Amino acid sequence: MTTPQKKCDPAVITAYEEPSVPPLHAGWLVVPVLGLLLLAAHFFRFGDMGLAVAIVAMSGLVFTRLGWARFVCSATLFISSFLWVQTGIDFVQIRMAEGQPWMRLVVIMVGVCAFSLLGAWILTTEKADARFFKGRSTALSQTAVFALASGGLWLCRVMPKNMTLLLADRFVPGSGSVEIFIIAVYAAWLCGVLLDRRTQRKVRSYAWAFFSFVFFSQLALGLLGFKTFLMTGELHLPVPALIVAGPLFRGSGFFMLILFSVSVLLVGSAWCSHLCYIGAWDDRMSRVHRGRTGRLPAWAPKVRIVLAVVVFAIALGMGLSGVPVVVAVWLAALFGMTGVAVMLFMSRRMKLMVHCSSFCPLGVMSNLLGKISPWRLRFSKDCTKCNACIAVCRYNAITPERLEAGVPAFSCSLCRDCTAVCKHGAAEVRFFGIASPRVTHIFVVLVTSLYAIFLGVARM
């Protein structure tokens, strides 16, 4: 591996990193495990079975060797100490109001709090670091993803007053905490493999396809009459362009447009390569045939811009002129089917995402809003013009001319496939012009966290 590559590679990790000190003896793990089980028992006593089950499952992470698992469990135990303090205060106030003795209760609650803090501390020692050595170089990033994904999904669970967003809660009320835990664990794992150059290209594609599969499986079940799988119980067309065209036609219903805009501001045009439920189809079609990706003529990307202007103008015009909704729906469906045909007959043949780079109007919006976002892909002076990145770019964003300029084309979606194959570390994700392993970690943390939240709540 060359020196530049070591400098720019955010996670040149090995599956098993050798510990530098003797690992923590397994017997010490009893303390954090019991601390978590006490916390689970507390929630069980107060009737939150779902959260109790999730914390019991979390205690199982203590028996793994995963670097991020010890941070997650340690943070949970530390936070739980504040819960014990508040619970103790509440119980003492109740006993004092009833004129009952309370000193023994104080001693017990202080002991429980101290036990939780001891468990949290044990998991932060050097010996614990030696025991939980797998993926040590990405552990903090994976922990951040676990926290952001679980926190975001928890907000999605508790904030809506008239809607239940998590499927688990729809089928088994109160079980949303279990779904949140499962998705957060998956997201932490995904973050680790997306930070490994050896696996990021393949795993991103399959994870994206999995997200699309989950999305459209729920849509299919909704079409079969199981309305529980639909967001509102009503069917909407799964055409990405409608995220913008729909509000233009109706003059209302801006939730998805706001969600899309915020997502793009957070991660730039990576929305197109990680979060779009239709883009995953185009990606799979472009991978049907192996080999070097094709190239589109210079005028082809401009077609997408023209289409975007025409589609959005027509949507606005139909809305202002009072065109019946049924007509708009049929036009939208026809446009969506045309996009599918582009994938089947052009993307598959050219081994290039023709739909995303030359047809999709929403992609234009993503790329435009991405210019406001601080995230950029750039090619540094270490580039040797070996053209390895050109061979894997499926968004028609990298050409010899673009490499010479050091900037990809407008259609770049920050998929980072080029960074995975660049042997010299010249392809860089930058934040306000800064490129470093930490910047790459932050980018992957944000993208993976949004992906996990979308996986939990995105449905028609």
Side-chain angles (χ1 to χ4, degrees):
M1 185 180 294
T2 63
T3 300
Q5 184 178 349
K6 287 183 179 179
K7 176 185 71 175
C8 296
D9 191 349
V12 181
I13 60 175
T14 56
Y16 301 95
E17 301 170 26
E18 292 297 329
S20 57
V21 296
L24 183 72
H25 191 275
W28 284 104
L29 299 180
V30 173
V31 178
V33 168
L34 285 180
L36 290 169
L37 292 179
L38 280 172
L39 184 62
H42 170 78
F43 288 113
F44 176 74
R45 182 176 182 274
F46 282 91
D48 196 337
M49 176 64 77
L51 190 52
V53 171
I55 294 176
V56 169
M58 182 183 292
S59 68
L61 294 176
V62 177
F63 298 103
T64 71
R65 301 283 180 150
L66 301 171
W68 64 269
R70 76 181 181 104
F71 288 127
V72 167
C73 294
S74 178
T76 302
L77 287 168
F78 178 74
I79 294 171
S80 72
S81 67
F82 295 95
L83 173 66
W84 295 127
V85 169
Q86 184 60 53
T87 302
I89 292 173
D90 293 340
F91 284 170
V92 167
Q93 289 176 341
I94 293 173
R95 284 183 170 266
M96 291 177 69
E98 295 177 350
Q100 298 181 1
W102 49 269
M103 283 302 298
R104 186 173 63 175
L105 174 63
V106 170
V107 173
I108 292 173
M109 295 307 298
V110 168
V112 173
C113 181
F115 191 78
S116 295
L117 289 173
L118 176 62
W121 173 77
I122 286 173
L123 293 176
T124 61
T125 61
E126 287 188 8
K127 289 189 175 182
D129 181 59
R131 181 177 183 85
F132 295 87
F133 61 88
K134 293 184 181 179
R136 186 184 290 127
S137 60
T138 60
L140 288 176
S141 297
Q142 290 173 278
T143 304
V145 167
F146 185 96
L148 289 172
S150 55
L153 287 169
W154 187 265
L155 289 176
C156 291
R157 185 189 185 205
V158 301
M159 287 185 67
K161 301 301 180 183
N162 302 317
M163 183 185 301
T164 302
L165 289 181
L166 299 184
L167 275 182
D169 280 329
R170 293 187 176 191
F171 287 100
V172 183
S175 64
S177 299
V178 178
E179 180 182 350
I180 291 173
F181 175 76
I182 292 171
I183 293 177
V185 169
Y186 167 63
W189 167 82
L190 183 60
C191 175
V193 291
L194 288 179
L195 284 170
D196 188 342
R197 287 166 50 94
R198 300 165 301 179
T199 56
Q200 69 182 62
R201 282 180 60 215
K202 181 179 290 187
V203 170
R204 180 191 67 83
S205 178
Y206 284 123
W208 192 16
F210 174 67
F211 166 70
S212 182
F213 171 78
V214 170
F215 180 92
F216 281 101
S217 294
Q218 294 175 92
L219 175 61
L221 289 168
L223 288 171
L224 291 173
F226 301 97
K227 293 188 177 181
T228 304
F229 289 94
L230 301 177
M231 177 71 79
T232 62
E234 297 178 359
L235 184 63
H236 301 275
L237 285 176
V239 180
L242 294 183
I243 291 177
V244 177
L248 288 175
F249 175 76
R250 296 188 301 267
S252 61
F254 292 92
F255 173 76
M256 284 302 300
L257 179 58
I258 294 172
L259 180 62
F260 165 75
S261 301
V262 171
S263 302
V264 174
L265 291 176
L266 284 173
V267 297
S269 55
W271 192 92
C272 288
S273 56
H274 296 80
L275 306 175
C276 178
Y277 43 86
I278 284 289
W281 294 18
D282 204 23
D283 178 67
R284 297 318 304 171
M285 286 297 100
S286 69
R287 296 174 188 269
V288 170
H289 302 298
R290 295 177 179 271
R292 188 184 182 93
T293 59
R295 295 266 70 81
L296 291 172
W299 52 264
K302 299 175 183 177
V303 172
R304 187 176 61 146
I305 298 175
V306 173
L307 271 176
V309 173
V310 171
V311 168
F312 298 147
I314 289 176
L316 180 61
M318 289 195 304
L320 294 175
S321 59
V323 172
V325 173
V326 66
V327 175
V329 169
W330 276 106
L331 287 175
L334 180 62
F335 183 81
M337 293 306 297
T338 303
V340 172
V342 170
M343 299 178 204
L344 289 173
F345 297 106
M346 298 185 68
S347 298
R348 189 161 59 97
R349 181 173 61 86
M350 299 190 68
K351 292 172 283 188
L352 189 72
M353 297 173 65
V354 179
H355 172 273
C356 292
S357 59
S358 298
F359 182 83
C360 179
L362 191 65
V364 175
M365 299 301 297
S366 175
N367 292 127
L368 281 174
L369 287 175
K371 298 301 181 183
I372 302 175
S373 171
W375 299 104
R376 298 287 186 275
L377 180 75
R378 294 292 184 264
F379 304 105
S380 71
K381 61 182 180 180
D382 295 321
C383 178
T384 62
K385 310 300 185 296
C386 68
N387 294 341
C389 53
I390 297 178
V392 300
C393 179
R394 299 182 185 276
Y395 285 90
N396 198 47
I398 307 177
T399 63
E401 295 76 22
R402 288 293 176 179
L403 285 178
E404 194 66 40
V407 181
F410 179 71
S411 58
C412 175
S413 69
L414 297 178
C415 68
R416 297 191 312 124
D417 282 2
C418 54
T419 66
V421 299
C422 182
K423 297 180 180 180
H424 310 283
E428 306 170 330
V429 173
R430 299 182 183 179
F431 182 75
F432 286 115
I434 301 171
S436 71
R438 181 172 297 177
V439 165
T440 302
H441 275 245
I442 293 172
F443 177 77
V444 173
V445 165
L446 288 175
V447 169
T448 310
S449 300
L450 280 175
Y451 167 91
I453 294 170
F454 277 40
L455 182 64
V457 302
R459 60 185 66 91
M460 298 306 296

